[in-house]
Amino acid sequence: MEKRFIYADNAATTAVSEEVLSAMLPHFTKAYGNASSIYKLGRDAQADIEKAREKVAAALGADAKEIFFTSCGSESDNWAIKGTAEMMAKKGKKHIVTSVFEHHAVLHTCEYLEKQGFEVTYVPVDSKGLINPEDVRNAIREDTALVTIMYANNEIGTIQPIEEIAAVCHEKNVLFHTDAVQAVGHVEIDVKKQGIDMLSLSGHKIHAQKGVGALYVRKGIVLPNLIHGGGQERSKRAGTENVPAIVGLGRAIEIACTDIAEKAAVVTPKRNRLIDGILEIPYTRLNGDRDKRLPGNLNISIEGIEGESLLLMLDLNGICASSGSACTSGSLDPSHVLLSIGLKHEVAHGSLRLSIEGDITDEDVDYILEVIPKVVERLREMSPVWEKMMNGEEVK
Amino acid sequence: MMYSEKVLDHFSNPRNVGEIEDADGVGEIGNAKCGDIMKMYLKIDNGIITDAKFKTFGCGAAVATSSMATELIKGKSIDDALKLTNDAVVEALDGLPAVKIHCSVLAEQAVRSALSDYYTRQGIDPLPIVGEIKEPEEH
């Protein structure tokens, strides 16, 4: 078996595509004007930023005036949540609803707000990694300032019933924000139709560069300014615009949000072949609902082995993957996402996430399905946990 | 997070993996909940560790420290093996990331746990010789 290099971690980041790069390049050395300048070089930069804004808006079904460029998805999340909290606190509303398995950009922001005197309700997820809109309804109170629920989970890829959750929020007259960093470009999003008030997205997950993101804020919601200074981003987020990055994001989202269904139809069968192939290994389970998940995501727990060892072994075989193992996070606890869907600690430690795109070949899939069972066998051979399982002993 | 070449070498080609059927001392440390379990087997002849093998469930550092610990005690006297510290294991591996130092402690304790079992089998109270075995803290 000839060694291959396979990047199967697109949920972590993606390569900047050639098309995006070529859209960006002129803005480094030729069209380098400051968008605030009066002369043509500056006005052109401003015009290119606005074109990018229109592309982001078009991809979401929003109006260009509702799009604000930021430096990343985490910044967008922080701005939406802390900004809404500050705004609503003045009306005496100091309660936030979120879920237990959000990205840390949301969870840690909520924890920060708790220290500032806000109350946060963390709604549970079921064993398939899905949130019940009724749980959101029951969590909303008179003083609820915001509901923030992720569109699709970054580890297990499950897609939440966003439209239903938004409907519950509006019924109760509460603002709704969603972290859609993993969803944009992979599922059809229409903020107006779905009733989304605020939405965070990131460039580097959709083949733009790292260091650029955006926040959609529905017209009529006036968030406090994030960065005070000049008049950029309608004075809400001051600082000279990163024109190449913004132009790149515009091009990237335009490409990512074209033919979403067709692209999903290409990647889903490959993803399913990987799922079925890996599940042939005994003592494995798929994490997250099989159908209500991102087309390129699979997350499987492999009992008796530990995730970081598995990733290192896969890396030695040229496969880039990810895990919810504690060891990859630098803490001793495994992924909060996997624990939230009811996995035991020792099972959560042995999880594997692959996030693929349509460019993965059938030969790549064959190769992955050849490597993983061998690596698992080798790790299980040296695992005292596996030995206990095979002897029918209790694993503590 | 950066692993040294030596850690990666001991991870990808671990020395002394396996079991010893007629081991004179077997020790196990850690728990699956925390993500690390090491099991150490020793063959002891006239106070000399003639063979050492291990099985480990854990991260790259857990495998590498187990591998290195067995290498460091093989052919040594029990007294020398009892002097093995986690620092010596870390040094022999050209260092470990700060979050992985606990793996070297597990390796040190796995050796002591196996020696403790050896003394128990001999009808000798291991506590005065080996001391307390430190289990990793629950969290």
Side-chain angles (χ1 to χ4, degrees):
Chain A
M1 177 174 57
E2 200 176 322
K3 188 175 163 181
R4 283 171 174 255
F5 176 80
I6 300 169
Y7 186 74
D9 204 15
N10 287 282
T13 194
T14 60
V16 172
S17 71
E18 291 293 339
E19 287 155 292
V20 168
L21 182 64
S22 61
M24 290 170 67
L25 280 177
H27 294 276
F28 287 100
T29 51
K30 294 190 181 77
Y32 54 82
N34 185 322
S36 303
S37 299
I38 192 78
Y39 39 79
K40 186 168 185 304
L41 195 70
R43 293 196 311 271
D44 285 351
Q46 184 64 51
D48 288 332
I49 290 172
E50 295 317 314
K51 271 183 221 155
R53 199 184 309 279
E54 277 163 23
K55 286 173 183 174
V56 175
L60 301 175
D63 190 89
K65 284 193 179 130
E66 297 171 313
I67 305 298
F68 296 89
F69 290 112
T70 63
S71 71
C72 59
S74 293
E75 182 185 323
S76 301
D77 286 337
N78 270 259
W79 190 10
I81 297 168
K82 286 190 280 195
T84 305
E86 184 189 326
M87 183 172 75
M88 300 306 278
K90 290 176 190 153
K91 299 178 185 170
K93 295 191 172 188
K94 295 188 76 172
H95 174 244
I96 290 164
V97 176
T98 188
S99 82
V100 289
F101 80 156
E102 295 294 311
H103 188 275
H104 285 136
V106 169
L107 279 185
H108 290 167
T109 302
C110 287
E111 285 163 18
Y112 164 80
L113 286 171
E114 282 181 295
K115 288 192 190 122
Q116 305 299 312
F118 286 80
E119 281 182 69
V120 180
T121 301
Y122 300 88
V123 297
V125 292
D126 67 16
S127 60
K128 290 188 158 190
L130 297 170
I131 290 166
N132 183 345
E134 286 311 300
D135 287 337
V136 175
R137 182 194 300 279
N138 295 333
I140 292 175
R141 317 191 306 211
E142 282 294 309
D143 62 343
T144 302
L146 176 74
V147 170
T148 173
I149 302 282
M150 68 198 325
Y151 204 118
N153 185 270
N154 49 309
E155 289 187 37
I156 57 175
T158 49
I159 300 166
Q160 304 309 316
I162 290 299
E163 207 167 328
E164 288 89 330
I165 293 170
V168 166
C169 295
H170 293 157
E171 206 179 296
K172 299 267 189 179
N173 209 16
V174 175
L175 292 175
F176 175 58
H177 165 256
T178 185
D179 174 342
V181 165
Q182 294 290 339
V184 169
H186 301 291
V187 294
E188 304 273 2
I189 296 177
D190 186 325
V191 289
K192 303 292 170 197
K193 188 171 150 273
Q194 291 172 303
I196 297 167
D197 294 315
M198 286 171 273
L199 178 147
S200 302
L201 65 90
S202 167
H204 74 107
K205 310 289 191 189
I206 52 170
H207 300 283
Q209 69 160 80
K210 293 159 189 73
V212 65
L215 178 66
Y216 153 78
V217 184
R218 180 174 56 75
K219 200 179 159 202
I221 301 170
V222 185
L223 286 184
N225 297 355
L226 180 66
I227 301 178
H228 301 275
Q232 296 89 352
E233 298 303 297
R234 310 221 319 282
S235 299
K236 297 235 146 272
R237 185 192 184 272
T240 301
E241 299 91 340
N242 186 343
V243 184
I246 289 170
V247 168
L249 173 59
R251 183 72 184 114
I253 202 165
E254 186 177 37
I255 298 167
C257 293
T258 305
D259 303 330
I260 286 179
E262 287 82 349
K263 282 185 276 198
V266 172
V267 75
T268 306
K270 295 178 184 179
R271 192 272 316 269
N272 287 343
R273 197 151 79 79
L274 282 171
I275 291 177
D276 293 333
I278 299 170
L279 288 180
E280 276 180 27
I281 301 171
Y283 294 92
T284 51
R285 58 160 277 174
L286 178 69
N287 296 317
D289 190 272
R290 187 170 170 127
D291 301 315
K292 290 175 187 156
R293 72 189 302 133
L294 295 172
N297 169 288
L298 68 102
N299 186 310
I300 289 178
S301 287
I302 304 172
E303 291 191 54
I305 64 169
E306 191 281 327
E308 191 204 88
S309 288
L310 175 62
L311 296 190
L312 288 170
M313 284 282 183
L314 292 179
D315 184 35
L316 290 170
N317 285 283
I319 300 168
C320 303
S322 171
S323 168
S325 139
C327 290
T328 52
S329 67
S331 82
L332 289 170
D333 284 323
S335 139
H336 67 288
V337 173
L338 298 177
L339 296 180
S340 78
I341 60 168
L343 260 62
K344 290 190 289 186
H345 275 68
E346 55 270 31
V347 177
H349 281 300
S351 72
L352 170 70
R353 178 189 76 182
L354 299 178
S355 42
I356 58 166
E357 292 194 349
D359 61 344
I360 192 166
T361 65
D362 289 331
E363 290 73 27
D364 290 338
V365 172
D366 291 340
Y367 178 80
I368 293 173
L369 291 177
E370 217 174 316
V371 169
I372 289 179
K374 282 185 191 160
V375 165
V376 169
E377 194 187 339
R378 183 164 169 206
L379 288 170
R380 278 178 172 173
E381 263 171 18
M382 63 190 280
S383 162
V385 171
W386 180 247
E387 182 188 318
K388 283 191 174 78
M389 282 173 62
M390 292 303 99
N391 292 339
E393 292 169 39
E394 191 195 354
V395 177
K396 280 184 270 187
Chain B
M1 187 179 62
M2 287 287 290
Y3 279 140
S4 69
E5 285 300 319
K6 230 173 196 163
V7 171
L8 290 173
D9 174 41
H10 275 263
F11 169 74
S12 48
N13 305 295
R15 284 44 149 193
N16 312 308
V17 177
E19 299 169 30
I20 299 175
E21 288 279 329
D22 56 346
D24 298 306
V26 180
E28 189 181 293
I29 199 98
N31 60 67
K33 194 168 174 250
C34 298
D36 294 298
I37 296 185
M38 288 180 193
K39 198 168 179 181
M40 191 114 5
Y41 301 79
L42 300 178
K43 190 82 193 142
I44 296 170
D45 199 10
N46 275 330
I48 302 292
I49 297 168
T50 55
D51 198 9
K53 288 208 184 299
F54 78 90
K55 276 190 158 186
T56 288
F57 164 90
C59 61
V63 174
T65 54
S66 316
S67 167
M68 184 52 88
T70 54
E71 283 286 272
L72 290 173
I73 60 168
K74 249 169 86 170
K76 298 279 169 62
S77 67
I78 292 176
D79 285 350
D80 282 344
L82 283 171
K83 285 182 202 143
L84 178 79
T85 62
N86 77 300
D87 288 342
V89 175
V90 173
E91 203 185 311
L93 286 168
D94 294 341
L96 277 179
V99 294
K100 299 293 186 179
I101 294 294
H102 72 277
C103 295
S104 65
V105 177
L106 278 182
E108 172 201 295
Q109 293 299 312
V111 172
R112 300 178 84 84
S113 167
L115 288 170
S116 186
D117 178 57
Y118 166 74
Y119 281 116
T120 305
R121 291 185 193 199
Q122 305 287 314
I124 301 166
D125 178 12
L127 198 62
I129 309 166
V130 182
E132 292 252 13
I133 307 297
K134 282 175 263 171
E135 275 287 342
E137 283 171 31
E138 280 280 346
H139 45 82

